[in-house]
Amino acid sequence: MTSDRRASWLKGVLDLLVLASLTAGENYGYEIAKDLAESGLGQIKGGTLYPVLNRLEEAGLVTAEFRVTERGPGRRYYRLTDQGRRTLAEQSGLWLSFDESVRAVLGRGGVEGVEKVSR
């Protein structure tokens, strides 16, 4: 297992991260991807992000509104719904519990610095 597994890990939590990125207010895809990249998650391409946004919209966790712009193409703005906020709170708690379990196992495996990684 010498390959970088971060892309696989990201796929498992990207829905939750997108919901979390919308807590500050509505945003469009490019800015969501930029926000996540600036958080240290690496570049998230449209072919990965937009299916997530569509899935979240179909589930009623976000709403989307297309807006025409004065310059360039229109943009689809996404906003967190009340159901999305509830789901985010619930799933965040589950993720953090999972994270603690992973840290505990890695710590038993002699991985140094596991407990020092900031959340």
Side-chain angles (χ1 to χ4, degrees):
M1 188 167 88
T2 59
S3 64
D4 187 341
R5 306 279 306 183
R6 288 178 289 188
S8 313
W9 301 336
L10 184 61
K11 285 181 185 176
V13 73
L14 187 55
D15 290 23
L16 188 59
L17 296 172
V18 169
L19 291 176
S21 76
L22 291 171
T23 58
E26 68 181 10
N27 219 337
Y28 57 97
Y30 174 79
E31 287 295 325
I32 293 169
K34 185 176 161 187
D35 177 52
L36 295 174
E38 289 172 355
S39 297
L41 297 167
Q43 180 184 12
I44 299 167
K45 296 183 180 181
T48 299
L49 180 61
Y50 288 103
V52 168
L53 288 165
N54 289 335
R55 188 169 51 249
L56 294 173
E57 184 179 8
E58 288 173 7
L61 304 179
V62 300
T63 59
E65 178 185 342
F66 182 80
R67 295 185 193 154
V68 177
T69 60
E70 290 183 23
R71 294 184 179 174
R75 294 182 178 143
R76 207 164 153 79
Y77 283 81
Y78 297 89
R79 175 180 290 137
L80 201 55
T81 64
D82 289 340
Q83 181 182 353
R85 287 183 193 284
R86 287 189 301 273
T87 299
L88 175 61
E90 174 189 306
Q91 295 298 314
S92 293
L94 293 171
W95 177 262
L96 292 173
S97 288
F98 178 74
D99 175 67
E100 285 179 25
S101 298
V102 169
R103 287 172 185 270
V105 172
L106 291 176
R108 286 196 314 261
V111 177
E112 292 185 32
V114 171
E115 67 284 344
K116 294 179 185 176
V117 177
S118 65
R119 294 183 202 238

